Amino acid sequence: MSVAPPTVTPGVYRLARAASPQFVVPITVRIFRHLTDRHPPWGWAWVDCYQLDHRGDAIDRRTLFVLVEGLEPAPEPAAAPAVAPRRRQARRASARAGA
């Protein structure tokens, strides 16, 4: 009986030391691809992802080696509220007599 290796589902995850010793400072990533053409040790995986900032914007594309069991699903970052652009008031030139 053969057991399939663990797979990584695309989504947003928080990576800390449980995912790999390299994440002393946790990061948030959006995984978009599990690289199945590589053959890591059992329980580990190579993934393509975008590292996210605190607003949920991608700041870097990365390929990471992670322990699948250590991936912590994270909530989707809240989108910043849309702010209408401020309208600038037109400056009125003062009308000077005789100018």
Side-chain angles (χ1 to χ4, degrees):
M1 172 185 234
S2 107
V3 178
T7 59
V8 178
T9 304
V12 177
Y13 295 90
R14 181 176 178 272
L15 303 182
R17 292 196 74 143
S20 176
Q22 66 184 314
F23 302 116
V24 175
V25 175
I27 64 171
T28 303
V29 297
R30 180 181 313 278
I31 295 175
F32 61 89
R33 183 180 323 142
H34 178 183
L35 301 172
T36 57
D37 59 333
R38 299 183 184 184
H39 304 287
W42 183 262
W44 291 81
W46 284 96
V47 294
D48 276 339
C49 61
Y50 291 106
Q51 184 173 343
L52 305 178
D53 65 9
H54 66 280
R55 294 182 312 245
D57 294 330
I59 56 172
D60 197 12
R61 182 176 173 172
R62 300 179 69 175
T63 299
L64 300 173
F65 183 60
V66 295
L67 182 60
V68 176
E69 192 175 283
L71 298 177
E72 300 174 30
E76 285 283 331
V83 177
R86 296 180 84 179
R87 298 182 97 188
R88 295 176 60 146
Q89 291 184 335
R91 290 185 138 190
R92 294 181 188 220
S94 59
R96 294 183 4 189

